[in-house]
Amino acid sequence: QESNGTAAAAAATDGQESGEKSTYMDLIVGLRSLLGVDNANEGDEKKVLESGDDAKRKEVLSKAHESLTALFVTEIEKQIGMDRYKTAEKVPVPVSLDDLAKCTTTITGEGEDHLLPPTERKDYAPTQIWSPSDCIQELASCFLDVATSANQPPPEF
């Protein structure tokens, strides 16, 4: 079985046989490294992000924003430009940059509802339909959860 670091390195080379450079894998590998996923904290109680460390929180959210932009905008535009979807009934649409900008303003815990991810809002119900910006905020909150968790099994992404 591959370790997380080996899987990430293998994924980073996907497409290189055909000469294509991935638009997002280097950023994903960097995000994984920043979150400590590749070393899985190896039994330490150490967290990547301590509460109150606003600079590190901004760094995590900035790297998440870069990664999500590369995945949900740049890569989709690249695939459309390569005519990957020329016969598709439905062509994917890149996420708007305004929606992706919500990633860097996401907070967890207490705060104004529009800054919280949907699952932390006072009026949250599991039957709500989320907007694209809500989805981005929820993803950002998951990255923050990984960064602040100690002794959790590493996520696969």
Side-chain angles (χ1 to χ4, degrees):
Q1 182 175 358
E2 293 180 325
S3 72
N4 286 336
T6 306
T13 60
D14 281 353
Q16 288 185 354
E17 289 120 22
S18 63
E20 284 180 46
K21 180 167 177 11
S22 172
T23 57
Y24 61 89
M25 274 314 300
D26 289 342
L27 293 167
I28 297 295
V29 170
L31 179 60
R32 289 173 55 94
S33 177
L34 179 63
L35 293 175
V37 172
D38 290 331
N39 63 15
N41 291 337
E42 314 217 343
D44 292 347
E45 295 265 345
K46 185 179 108 194
K47 299 176 186 178
V48 173
L49 177 63
E50 298 292 333
S51 63
D53 187 348
D54 200 45
K56 188 71 166 185
R57 181 181 91 45
K58 285 179 181 177
E59 182 183 4
V60 167
L61 291 177
S62 176
K63 183 61 85 172
H65 181 259
E66 289 176 36
S67 301
L68 294 174
T69 300
L71 183 60
F72 294 124
V73 178
T74 311
E75 182 64 20
I76 291 173
E77 289 172 347
K78 174 185 167 189
Q79 296 298 325
I80 290 171
M82 293 170 38
D83 289 332
R84 169 80 47 126
Y85 302 103
K86 65 182 173 188
T87 60
E89 211 172 288
K90 295 194 181 234
V91 176
V93 177
V95 175
S96 82
L97 295 177
D98 288 340
D99 288 334
L100 282 164
K102 292 278 190 162
C103 180
T104 57
T105 60
T106 298
I107 60 170
T108 55
E110 297 293 320
E112 297 176 45
D113 265 5
H114 72 280
L115 298 175
L116 292 168
T119 55
E120 292 187 28
R121 295 178 187 156
K122 293 175 188 128
D123 65 346
Y124 170 72
T127 55
Q128 290 173 332
I129 297 175
W130 295 351
S131 69
S133 62
D134 287 340
C135 294
I136 294 297
Q137 284 183 293
E138 194 65 38
L139 277 169
S141 126
C142 291
F143 292 135
L144 291 174
D145 287 347
V146 169
T148 57
S149 297
N151 293 331
Q152 295 295 317
E156 290 292 327
F157 66 92

PDB file of all heavy atoms in Angstrom, residues 3 14-15 17 20 29 32 44 50 54 58 66 75 85 87-88 98 106 109 114 123 129 134 144:
ATOM      1  N   SER A   3       2.063   5.059   0.715  1.00  0.00           N
ATOM      2  CA  SER A   3       1.862   6.065   1.750  1.00  0.00           C
ATOM      3  C   SER A   3       1.255   7.297   1.101  1.00  0.00           C
ATOM      4  O   SER A   3       1.275   7.443  -0.115  1.00  0.00           O
ATOM      5  CB  SER A   3       3.195   6.417   2.417  1.00  0.00           C
ATOM      6  OG  SER A   3       3.978   7.176   1.527  1.00  0.00           O
ATOM      7  N   ASP A  14       0.838  12.631 -12.931  1.00  0.00           N
ATOM      8  CA  ASP A  14      -0.231  12.273 -13.859  1.00  0.00           C
ATOM      9  C   ASP A  14      -0.244  13.242 -15.023  1.00  0.00           C
ATOM     10  O   ASP A  14      -0.175  14.440 -14.841  1.00  0.00           O
ATOM     11  CB  ASP A  14      -1.598  12.301 -13.171  1.00  0.00           C
ATOM     12  CG  ASP A  14      -1.847  11.063 -12.338  1.00  0.00           C
ATOM     13  OD1 ASP A  14      -1.022  10.140 -12.406  1.00  0.00           O
ATOM     14  OD2 ASP A  14      -2.875  11.025 -11.628  1.00  0.00           O
ATOM     15  N   GLY A  15      -0.358  12.713 -16.203  1.00  0.00           N
ATOM     16  CA  GLY A  15      -0.418  13.550 -17.389  1.00  0.00           C
ATOM     17  C   GLY A  15       0.949  13.898 -17.947  1.00  0.00           C
ATOM     18  O   GLY A  15       1.047  14.405 -19.054  1.00  0.00           O
ATOM     19  N   GLU A  17       3.249  11.846 -18.883  1.00  0.00           N
ATOM     20  CA  GLU A  17       3.624  10.963 -19.974  1.00  0.00           C
ATOM     21  C   GLU A  17       3.230  11.580 -21.303  1.00  0.00           C
ATOM     22  O   GLU A  17       3.890  11.398 -22.303  1.00  0.00           O
ATOM     23  CB  GLU A  17       2.945   9.597 -19.809  1.00  0.00           C
ATOM     24  CG  GLU A  17       3.519   8.789 -18.670  1.00  0.00           C
ATOM     25  CD  GLU A  17       2.464   8.468 -17.625  1.00  0.00           C
ATOM     26  OE1 GLU A  17       1.265   8.480 -17.932  1.00  0.00           O
ATOM     27  OE2 GLU A  17       2.849   8.207 -16.494  1.00  0.00           O
ATOM     28  N   GLU A  20       1.809  16.863 -20.698  1.00  0.00           N
ATOM     29  CA  GLU A  20       1.002  17.890 -20.046  1.00  0.00           C
ATOM     30  C   GLU A  20       1.479  18.108 -18.621  1.00  0.00           C
ATOM     31  O   GLU A  20       1.816  17.167 -17.928  1.00  0.00           O
ATOM     32  CB  GLU A  20      -0.457  17.428 -19.952  1.00  0.00           C
ATOM     33  CG  GLU A  20      -1.220  17.498 -21.222  1.00  0.00           C
ATOM     34  CD  GLU A  20      -2.639  17.020 -21.008  1.00  0.00           C
ATOM     35  OE1 GLU A  20      -3.272  17.432 -20.013  1.00  0.00           O
ATOM     36  OE2 GLU A  20      -3.091  16.215 -21.822  1.00  0.00           O
ATOM     37  N   VAL A  29      -0.267  19.240  -3.649  1.00  0.00           N
ATOM     38  CA  VAL A  29       0.846  18.653  -2.879  1.00  0.00           C
ATOM     39  C   VAL A  29       1.348  19.658  -1.837  1.00  0.00           C
ATOM     40  O   VAL A  29       1.609  19.303  -0.690  1.00  0.00           O
ATOM     41  CB  VAL A  29       1.978  18.177  -3.823  1.00  0.00           C
ATOM     42  CG1 VAL A  29       3.224  17.809  -3.049  1.00  0.00           C
ATOM     43  CG2 VAL A  29       1.504  16.996  -4.654  1.00  0.00           C
ATOM     44  N   ARG A  32      -1.238  19.794   0.955  1.00  0.00           N
ATOM     45  CA  ARG A  32      -1.102  18.592   1.790  1.00  0.00           C
ATOM     46  C   ARG A  32       0.082  18.730   2.743  1.00  0.00           C
ATOM     47  O   ARG A  32      -0.005  18.393   3.917  1.00  0.00           O
ATOM     48  CB  ARG A  32      -0.907  17.350   0.916  1.00  0.00           C
ATOM     49  CG  ARG A  32      -2.129  16.907   0.152  1.00  0.00           C
ATOM     50  CD  ARG A  32      -1.780  15.778  -0.813  1.00  0.00           C
ATOM     51  NE  ARG A  32      -1.152  14.662  -0.137  1.00  0.00           N
ATOM     52  CZ  ARG A  32      -1.802  13.596   0.327  1.00  0.00           C
ATOM     53  NH1 ARG A  32      -3.091  13.495   0.173  1.00  0.00           N
ATOM     54  NH2 ARG A  32      -1.141  12.635   0.940  1.00  0.00           N
ATOM     55  N   ASP A  44       2.469  12.331  17.023  1.00  0.00           N
ATOM     56  CA  ASP A  44       2.624  13.540  17.822  1.00  0.00           C
ATOM     57  C   ASP A  44       1.261  14.120  18.152  1.00  0.00           C
ATOM     58  O   ASP A  44       0.293  13.905  17.460  1.00  0.00           O
ATOM     59  CB  ASP A  44       3.406  14.625  17.053  1.00  0.00           C
ATOM     60  CG  ASP A  44       4.856  14.249  16.839  1.00  0.00           C
ATOM     61  OD1 ASP A  44       5.315  13.296  17.489  1.00  0.00           O
ATOM     62  OD2 ASP A  44       5.508  14.915  16.016  1.00  0.00           O
ATOM     63  N   GLU A  50      -2.470  26.210  15.538  1.00  0.00           N
ATOM     64  CA  GLU A  50      -2.931  26.445  16.905  1.00  0.00           C
ATOM     65  C   GLU A  50      -3.978  27.555  16.891  1.00  0.00           C
ATOM     66  O   GLU A  50      -3.901  28.469  16.078  1.00  0.00           O
ATOM     67  CB  GLU A  50      -1.756  26.855  17.807  1.00  0.00           C
ATOM     68  CG  GLU A  50      -0.672  25.802  17.944  1.00  0.00           C
ATOM     69  CD  GLU A  50      -1.118  24.563  18.703  1.00  0.00           C
ATOM     70  OE1 GLU A  50      -2.036  24.668  19.546  1.00  0.00           O
ATOM     71  OE2 GLU A  50      -0.555  23.492  18.445  1.00  0.00           O
ATOM     72  N   ASP A  54      -3.351  33.574  13.687  1.00  0.00           N
ATOM     73  CA  ASP A  54      -4.036  34.141  12.531  1.00  0.00           C
ATOM     74  C   ASP A  54      -3.175  34.109  11.278  1.00  0.00           C
ATOM     75  O   ASP A  54      -3.684  33.895  10.178  1.00  0.00           O
ATOM     76  CB  ASP A  54      -4.498  35.571  12.842  1.00  0.00           C
ATOM     77  CG  ASP A  54      -5.588  36.023  11.913  1.00  0.00           C
ATOM     78  OD1 ASP A  54      -6.530  35.238  11.681  1.00  0.00           O
ATOM     79  OD2 ASP A  54      -5.498  37.167  11.407  1.00  0.00           O
ATOM     80  N   LYS A  58      -4.322  32.275   7.857  1.00  0.00           N
ATOM     81  CA  LYS A  58      -4.359  32.961   6.556  1.00  0.00           C
ATOM     82  C   LYS A  58      -3.526  32.208   5.523  1.00  0.00           C
ATOM     83  O   LYS A  58      -3.898  32.120   4.354  1.00  0.00           O
ATOM     84  CB  LYS A  58      -3.866  34.398   6.694  1.00  0.00           C
ATOM     85  CG  LYS A  58      -4.877  35.303   7.362  1.00  0.00           C
ATOM     86  CD  LYS A  58      -4.361  36.717   7.502  1.00  0.00           C
ATOM     87  CE  LYS A  58      -5.394  37.584   8.203  1.00  0.00           C
ATOM     88  NZ  LYS A  58      -4.931  38.942   8.423  1.00  0.00           N
ATOM     89  N   GLU A  66      -5.649  29.110  -3.606  1.00  0.00           N
ATOM     90  CA  GLU A  66      -4.848  28.853  -4.805  1.00  0.00           C
ATOM     91  C   GLU A  66      -5.159  27.474  -5.390  1.00  0.00           C
ATOM     92  O   GLU A  66      -5.331  27.333  -6.607  1.00  0.00           O
ATOM     93  CB  GLU A  66      -3.351  28.899  -4.482  1.00  0.00           C
ATOM     94  CG  GLU A  66      -2.787  30.253  -4.175  1.00  0.00           C
ATOM     95  CD  GLU A  66      -1.319  30.156  -3.770  1.00  0.00           C
ATOM     96  OE1 GLU A  66      -0.587  29.302  -4.320  1.00  0.00           O
ATOM     97  OE2 GLU A  66      -0.905  30.923  -2.900  1.00  0.00           O
ATOM     98  N   GLU A  75      -8.156  24.455 -14.343  1.00  0.00           N
ATOM     99  CA  GLU A  75      -8.217  23.117 -14.949  1.00  0.00           C
ATOM    100  C   GLU A  75      -9.458  22.959 -15.817  1.00  0.00           C
ATOM    101  O   GLU A  75      -9.384  22.391 -16.914  1.00  0.00           O
ATOM    102  CB  GLU A  75      -8.176  22.036 -13.871  1.00  0.00           C
ATOM    103  CG  GLU A  75      -8.178  20.623 -14.409  1.00  0.00           C
ATOM    104  CD  GLU A  75      -6.950  20.248 -15.239  1.00  0.00           C
ATOM    105  OE1 GLU A  75      -5.904  20.910 -15.134  1.00  0.00           O
ATOM    106  OE2 GLU A  75      -7.043  19.270 -16.007  1.00  0.00           O
ATOM    107  N   TYR A  85     -14.794  18.555 -23.945  1.00  0.00           N
ATOM    108  CA  TYR A  85     -16.242  18.434 -23.786  1.00  0.00           C
ATOM    109  C   TYR A  85     -17.004  18.800 -25.055  1.00  0.00           C
ATOM    110  O   TYR A  85     -18.191  19.101 -25.001  1.00  0.00           O
ATOM    111  CB  TYR A  85     -16.711  19.328 -22.629  1.00  0.00           C
ATOM    112  CG  TYR A  85     -16.027  18.993 -21.333  1.00  0.00           C
ATOM    113  CD1 TYR A  85     -15.008  19.793 -20.843  1.00  0.00           C
ATOM    114  CD2 TYR A  85     -16.373  17.857 -20.614  1.00  0.00           C
ATOM    115  CE1 TYR A  85     -14.356  19.482 -19.654  1.00  0.00           C
ATOM    116  CE2 TYR A  85     -15.730  17.527 -19.443  1.00  0.00           C
ATOM    117  CZ  TYR A  85     -14.721  18.348 -18.966  1.00  0.00           C
ATOM    118  OH  TYR A  85     -14.073  18.025 -17.801  1.00  0.00           O
ATOM    119  N   THR A  87     -18.334  17.162 -27.382  1.00  0.00           N
ATOM    120  CA  THR A  87     -19.523  16.362 -27.663  1.00  0.00           C
ATOM    121  C   THR A  87     -20.387  16.148 -26.417  1.00  0.00           C
ATOM    122  O   THR A  87     -21.383  15.446 -26.480  1.00  0.00           O
ATOM    123  CB  THR A  87     -19.128  14.983 -28.241  1.00  0.00           C
ATOM    124  OG1 THR A  87     -18.318  14.300 -27.279  1.00  0.00           O
ATOM    125  CG2 THR A  87     -18.379  15.137 -29.552  1.00  0.00           C
ATOM    126  N   ALA A  88     -20.014  16.773 -25.327  1.00  0.00           N
ATOM    127  CA  ALA A  88     -20.755  16.581 -24.077  1.00  0.00           C
ATOM    128  C   ALA A  88     -22.099  17.302 -24.110  1.00  0.00           C
ATOM    129  O   ALA A  88     -22.225  18.384 -24.685  1.00  0.00           O
ATOM    130  CB  ALA A  88     -19.935  17.094 -22.896  1.00  0.00           C
ATOM    131  N   ASP A  98     -15.419  35.279  -7.596  1.00  0.00           N
ATOM    132  CA  ASP A  98     -16.062  35.868  -6.417  1.00  0.00           C
ATOM    133  C   ASP A  98     -16.412  34.792  -5.394  1.00  0.00           C
ATOM    134  O   ASP A  98     -16.233  34.992  -4.195  1.00  0.00           O
ATOM    135  CB  ASP A  98     -17.334  36.629  -6.810  1.00  0.00           C
ATOM    136  CG  ASP A  98     -17.031  37.923  -7.549  1.00  0.00           C
ATOM    137  OD1 ASP A  98     -15.888  38.428  -7.441  1.00  0.00           O
ATOM    138  OD2 ASP A  98     -17.946  38.426  -8.234  1.00  0.00           O
ATOM    139  N   THR A 106     -13.279  32.751   5.277  1.00  0.00           N
ATOM    140  CA  THR A 106     -13.973  31.766   6.096  1.00  0.00           C
ATOM    141  C   THR A 106     -13.402  31.738   7.518  1.00  0.00           C
ATOM    142  O   THR A 106     -12.195  31.771   7.709  1.00  0.00           O
ATOM    143  CB  THR A 106     -13.863  30.362   5.475  1.00  0.00           C
ATOM    144  OG1 THR A 106     -14.485  30.391   4.198  1.00  0.00           O
ATOM    145  CG2 THR A 106     -14.528  29.309   6.340  1.00  0.00           C
ATOM    146  N   GLY A 109     -16.116  28.650  14.338  1.00  0.00           N
ATOM    147  CA  GLY A 109     -16.456  29.041  15.704  1.00  0.00           C
ATOM    148  C   GLY A 109     -17.527  30.107  15.712  1.00  0.00           C
ATOM    149  O   GLY A 109     -18.536  29.990  15.034  1.00  0.00           O
ATOM    150  N   HIS A 114     -22.397  35.122   7.596  1.00  0.00           N
ATOM    151  CA  HIS A 114     -21.908  35.084   6.214  1.00  0.00           C
ATOM    152  C   HIS A 114     -20.431  34.686   6.126  1.00  0.00           C
ATOM    153  O   HIS A 114     -19.952  34.343   5.065  1.00  0.00           O
ATOM    154  CB  HIS A 114     -22.163  36.418   5.498  1.00  0.00           C
ATOM    155  CG  HIS A 114     -21.285  37.537   5.973  1.00  0.00           C
ATOM    156  ND1 HIS A 114     -21.550  38.227   7.132  1.00  0.00           N
ATOM    157  CD2 HIS A 114     -20.151  38.066   5.456  1.00  0.00           C
ATOM    158  CE1 HIS A 114     -20.613  39.150   7.305  1.00  0.00           C
ATOM    159  NE2 HIS A 114     -19.757  39.079   6.301  1.00  0.00           N
ATOM    160  N   ASP A 123     -28.824  29.027  11.465  1.00  0.00           N
ATOM    161  CA  ASP A 123     -30.018  28.548  10.762  1.00  0.00           C
ATOM    162  C   ASP A 123     -29.751  27.303   9.902  1.00  0.00           C
ATOM    163  O   ASP A 123     -30.566  26.942   9.064  1.00  0.00           O
ATOM    164  CB  ASP A 123     -30.591  29.661   9.880  1.00  0.00           C
ATOM    165  CG  ASP A 123     -29.660  30.066   8.743  1.00  0.00           C
ATOM    166  OD1 ASP A 123     -28.466  29.686   8.760  1.00  0.00           O
ATOM    167  OD2 ASP A 123     -30.127  30.767   7.827  1.00  0.00           O
ATOM    168  N   ILE A 129     -29.982  23.807   0.396  1.00  0.00           N
ATOM    169  CA  ILE A 129     -29.195  23.711  -0.830  1.00  0.00           C
ATOM    170  C   ILE A 129     -28.165  24.834  -0.778  1.00  0.00           C
ATOM    171  O   ILE A 129     -28.518  25.994  -0.614  1.00  0.00           O
ATOM    172  CB  ILE A 129     -30.093  23.833  -2.072  1.00  0.00           C
ATOM    173  CG1 ILE A 129     -31.075  22.662  -2.093  1.00  0.00           C
ATOM    174  CG2 ILE A 129     -29.242  23.868  -3.337  1.00  0.00           C
ATOM    175  CD1 ILE A 129     -32.097  22.725  -3.203  1.00  0.00           C
ATOM    176  N   ASP A 134     -21.079  28.896  -0.664  1.00  0.00           N
ATOM    177  CA  ASP A 134     -21.254  28.092   0.549  1.00  0.00           C
ATOM    178  C   ASP A 134     -20.389  26.837   0.489  1.00  0.00           C
ATOM    179  O   ASP A 134     -19.761  26.452   1.480  1.00  0.00           O
ATOM    180  CB  ASP A 134     -22.717  27.682   0.735  1.00  0.00           C
ATOM    181  CG  ASP A 134     -23.626  28.806   1.155  1.00  0.00           C
ATOM    182  OD1 ASP A 134     -23.130  29.827   1.678  1.00  0.00           O
ATOM    183  OD2 ASP A 134     -24.859  28.677   0.967  1.00  0.00           O
ATOM    184  N   LEU A 144      -9.320  23.888   7.530  1.00  0.00           N
ATOM    185  CA  LEU A 144      -8.992  24.398   8.867  1.00  0.00           C
ATOM    186  C   LEU A 144      -9.157  23.314   9.920  1.00  0.00           C
ATOM    187  O   LEU A 144      -8.359  23.220  10.852  1.00  0.00           O
ATOM    188  CB  LEU A 144      -9.855  25.616   9.215  1.00  0.00           C
ATOM    189  CG  LEU A 144      -9.573  26.886   8.415  1.00  0.00           C
ATOM    190  CD1 LEU A 144     -10.589  27.966   8.755  1.00  0.00           C
ATOM    191  CD2 LEU A 144      -8.155  27.387   8.661  1.00  0.00           C
TER     192      LEU A 144
END
